Amino acid sequence: MYYIYILRLNNGDIYKGSTSDLRERLVYHQRGKVASTRNKQPQLIHYEVYLLQSDAERRERFLKTTEGKRLLRQQIRDVLQKVDQ
């Protein structure tokens, strides 16, 4: 299984990534071993599961485009609003 995951950072940013081991990857983020999320208290707010790595990588690339960011924010807007409160 391959995962696309979305983290909400304490500075309001959203981090998008992919991995084959979601639990291990989240531990890396929480322990500050990922430079882009270090000291930003990452919180998992969304993930998707794919059977093929190629599908997960394609989805991650799309989510990092302007259109992908817009659609993702629409998809998880209620979660984003709740976290902001």
Side-chain angles (χ1 to χ4, degrees), residues 39-63:
N39 300 321
K40 295 180 184 169
Q41 302 171 336
Q43 177 185 15
L44 179 68
I45 60 171
H46 180 80
Y47 70 92
E48 301 172 9
V49 182
Y50 294 89
L51 291 175
L52 299 176
Q53 183 177 6
S54 59
D55 289 336
E57 290 172 348
R58 186 177 310 108
R59 176 69 170 161
E60 180 185 10
R61 280 193 308 272
F62 172 72
L63 291 176

Side-chain angles (χ1 to χ4, degrees), residues 3-84:
Y3 301 87
I4 297 299
Y5 61 96
I6 310 298
L7 302 176
R8 173 73 174 199
L9 307 179
N10 67 352
N11 65 357
D13 288 346
I14 294 177
Y15 177 91
K16 299 164 223 59
S18 62
T19 184
S20 61
D21 188 341
L22 184 58
R23 289 178 192 218
E24 181 181 331
R25 188 66 177 158
L26 290 175
V27 169
Y28 270 64
H29 282 287
Q30 292 166 347
R31 291 186 179 165
K33 294 184 177 184
V34 179
S36 56
T37 61
R38 185 175 292 130
N39 300 321
K40 295 180 184 169
Q41 302 171 336
Q43 177 185 15
L44 179 68
I45 60 171
H46 180 80
Y47 70 92
E48 301 172 9
V49 182
Y50 294 89
L51 291 175
L52 299 176
Q53 183 177 6
S54 59
D55 289 336
E57 290 172 348
R58 186 177 310 108
R59 176 69 170 161
E60 180 185 10
R61 280 193 308 272
F62 172 72
L63 291 176
K64 291 181 177 182
T65 66
T66 302
E67 181 68 8
K69 290 176 187 178
R70 187 183 67 77
L71 291 175
L72 177 65
R73 286 195 177 273
Q74 285 179 347
Q75 182 179 352
I76 61 173
R77 71 173 172 241
D78 292 341
V79 172
L80 294 174
Q81 288 174 355
K82 189 169 194 115
V83 172
D84 285 339

